[in-house]
Amino acid sequence: MYSYRAPLRDIRFVVHELLDFEQNYRAYGRDELNRELLDGILDEGARFAEDVLAPTNRVGDEYGLKFEDGQVSTPPGFKEAYDRYCEDGWITMTADPEWGGQGLPGGFTLAFGEMLCSGNMAWKMYSGLTESATLTIEAHAPDDVKRTYLPKMVKGEWSGTMCLTEAHSGTDLGLLRTKAEPRADGTFAITGTKIFISAGEHDLTKNIVHLVLARLPDAPPGTRGISLFVVPKFLPDANGDAGAANGVRCGSIEHKMGIRASPTCVMHFNDSVGWLIGKANEGLACMFTMMNHARLGVGLQGQGLSELAWQASIAYANDRLQGRAMTGPKEPGKPADPIIVHPDVRRMLLTQKAFVEGGRVLCLLTGREIDSAHMNTDADARRRSNDLIAFLTPIVKGFLTDVAMEVTSLAVQIHGGAGFIRETGVEQLMRDARITPIYEGTNGVQALDLLGRKVFGTGGKSQQMISARIVESMQKFGSLPEVAPLAAELGKRLEQWGKLTGELGAAATRSPDEVGAAATDYLQIAGYMMLGWCWLVAAGVATKKLAENPDDDFYKAKLVTARHYFARILPRVDSHSAAARAGAAGLMALTADQFAIA
Ligand SMILES: Cc1cc2nc3c(=O)[nH]c(=O)nc-3n(C[C@H](O)[C@H](O)[C@H](O)COP(=O)(O)OP(=O)(O)OC[C@H]3O[C@@H](n4cnc5c(N)ncnc54)[C@H](O)[C@@H]3O)c2cc1C
């Protein structure tokens, strides 16, 4: 059974050497966010993730949740870890000081978020959803609602959920039926049943604040008739504490293949009192504040699980003795060599390493833009950062969760038969990872968002903007002999990507099916290109560091991994490009009946 160790050396490499968060904060006039402070957060955060959280991960999977009389009990250790998370101030870290937060930058703290997801992804969901709900209330709710809910939620005394899904309304939220009837006092009576609600009921907090999508009586059909409401489990009393029950009941929890310690609840709302957030019938737009935040959070879950799977794999590959190296014994004193001597095992390990370390750069690069969007004093720069975040969000969510499936599956493979049995723990990672391409908008939906809205919706400008950023990095590092071949390769593919984007744009004018037919492959291409960019920059910085200290193994490994990425992973772009060009006709050729087995 593996144990988790926070990858602090690599996180610091990305935070300081690649992206230089400290310098950015200085440019925004936030000198107090210096390296010492950032490192302090990383060190203490690592301790929390390793010592407090990680020991609960296996327990949560083994023990699961107890459901009795509408109440959910979390696994042993969960409440203690949650209380500690609140008491030690982790939960208030990024929230606005106006509501009791510490105002630390949310982009940088993604590094801590990754550690929490590695430590225990199922546990992290409780506070992660609260954070997303808090941001949504802050952005869209009337002042009195903010005053009532935000101080409690920021402290973690009350938690949050997002209630979108209904039995007949998953991806297609336009179908949802939950009703909101106006009441004389300006509040609304919410009635309906939501399914699959994460953390809809649990014993970690004194109150649970549901953000519920529902329809007003005169609402137009479809997505233009959806409004957003705050519906607490317990109504706030005169002192602002959790008071009378509000007709919100958990009917059951799902039995699932993964994240078994995160309750996935059927939630019944019966004339429950709700407060409107944002304007009537514009609830979906408000909910996007929550969804975009949660989408990055799900990408981070993929990243955290990939890191953990990689750590388990490398430990096992050094320990397990099977066969001899093809070039002769490496450990003649032992009955066999460790499996890390075999090229095929190395192929798997290096692929994991390339995805994990590249994915970390992508997450934190997005984080740097998030901080710029909030803190930059230049309005134009803030707008550019927001455009970049919009483009990167479906990639972080869609690509890094697909990557997590591959990396966790490779972990099982590296463990051989031992990977398939429960004892080693890696099968849990694969099971936990499987939900990440599904929830928060399936990866098919992320792909449509990327190609349809973010690329074609901007007339291709977003793709050109990101390409220009990549070219800047190629110019910065391309003259280094170690980086030049990588830059040439990336430049060639960048040109091909631009051409493909134009071709698909032309095809899309002929039929919208062409967008749907190409979208998933396009998202994969975008993901591989982003990681190509990340690895180019990592190779550039590592080369410069090696010039100062040629024996530094950390930087040597960076260069080897970058070359592995460019030689063996980036070429996947070619097959995805061919598939993206194949068009919709073949996919749409069969009638639904013709699909059936004869
Ligand atoms: C463990 C878990 C936790 C969850 N937590 C929450 C939560 O906290 N709150 C919440 O509201 N929901 C939650 N969900 C619901 C989750 O977000 C949905 O399952 C997801 O959005 C997909 O909806 P669906 O399951 O109805 O699938 P469907 O919408 O039925 O989709 C089935 C398949 O069809 C594809 N598809 C559907 N429509 C289209 C389209 N227009 N174009 C192309 N492809 C399409 C999908 O990509 C998918 O592959 C959770 C689900 C699970 C399993």
Side-chain angles (χ1 to χ4, degrees), residues 162-165 170-172 195-198 256 259 264 435 438-442 444-445 448:
M162 61 195 299
C163 296
L164 289 70
T165 308
T171 300
D172 189 353
I195 66 162
F196 292 164
I197 304 309
S198 298
K256 316 190 290 290
I259 52 164
T264 306
I435 186 59
I438 297 174
Y439 60 15
E440 265 328 309
T442 61
V445 169
L448 286 171

Side-chain angles (χ1 to χ4, degrees), residues 382-393:
R382 284 202 302 276
R383 187 186 43 73
R384 281 197 301 277
S385 290
N386 276 318
D387 290 347
L388 205 60
I389 295 164
F391 183 83
L392 291 174
T393 298

Side-chain angles (χ1 to χ4, degrees), residues 194-409:
K194 298 283 178 180
I195 66 162
F196 292 164
I197 304 309
S198 298
E201 173 59 37
H202 59 81
D203 58 4
L204 298 186
T205 58
K206 292 180 185 151
N207 202 357
I208 302 175
V209 180
H210 303 284
L211 293 195
V212 183
L213 289 181
R215 286 187 183 287
L216 292 164
D218 55 352
T223 50
R224 277 176 304 160
I226 297 174
S227 305
L228 179 60
F229 300 87
V230 165
V231 187
K233 176 180 171 185
F234 296 111
L235 290 164
D237 65 16
N239 300 321
D241 295 323
N246 187 25
V248 181
R249 189 170 59 82
C250 175
S252 60
I253 58 171
E254 308 295 344
H255 301 278
K256 316 190 290 290
M257 74 183 278
I259 52 164
R260 297 186 62 240
S262 165
T264 306
C265 306
V266 173
M267 297 301 303
H268 302 294
F269 298 89
N270 188 6
D271 268 338
S272 309
V273 179
W275 283 261
L276 181 68
I277 299 271
K279 291 192 185 138
N281 299 328
E282 290 183 13
L284 206 52
C286 300
M287 199 54 144
F288 260 100
T289 303
M290 180 147 192
M291 289 195 278
N292 281 329
H293 186 258
R295 283 174 180 183
L296 290 173
V298 174
L300 212 58
Q301 291 179 343
Q303 173 64 25
L305 288 175
S306 293
E307 168 65 35
L308 195 54
W310 145 247
Q311 289 193 13
S313 302
I314 191 76
Y316 191 79
N318 275 301
D319 188 53
R320 173 72 173 161
L321 306 179
Q322 286 294 291
R324 286 294 183 193
M326 288 170 147
T327 50
K330 289 279 183 287
E331 304 219 14
K334 292 185 176 168
D337 285 335
I339 59 172
I340 197 167
V341 302
H342 304 305
D344 190 54
V345 173
R346 283 169 172 257
R347 172 190 63 77
M348 295 190 272
L349 289 169
L350 265 177
T351 299
Q352 289 181 312
K353 186 171 163 66
F355 275 136
V356 168
E357 294 177 7
R360 178 167 299 123
V361 182
L362 180 59
C363 287
L364 287 171
L365 184 129
T366 310
R368 188 177 65 171
E369 296 303 325
I370 291 172
D371 289 344
S372 163
H374 284 104
M375 300 158 84
N376 208 313
T377 45
D378 175 353
D380 259 0
R382 284 202 302 276
R383 187 186 43 73
R384 281 197 301 277
S385 290
N386 276 318
D387 290 347
L388 205 60
I389 295 164
F391 183 83
L392 291 174
T393 298
I395 302 174
V396 169
K397 196 284 178 181
F399 186 68
L400 292 186
T401 57
D402 282 347
V403 157
M405 285 314 303
E406 181 172 344
V407 173
T408 55
S409 177

Side-chain angles (χ1 to χ4, degrees), residues 36-60:
E36 200 186 347
L37 179 85
L38 303 183
D39 279 343
I41 293 170
L42 293 176
D43 286 342
E44 288 304 314
R47 231 169 279 169
F48 180 84
E50 291 169 354
D51 301 343
V52 181
L53 208 48
T56 65
N57 196 23
R58 175 69 173 215
V59 180

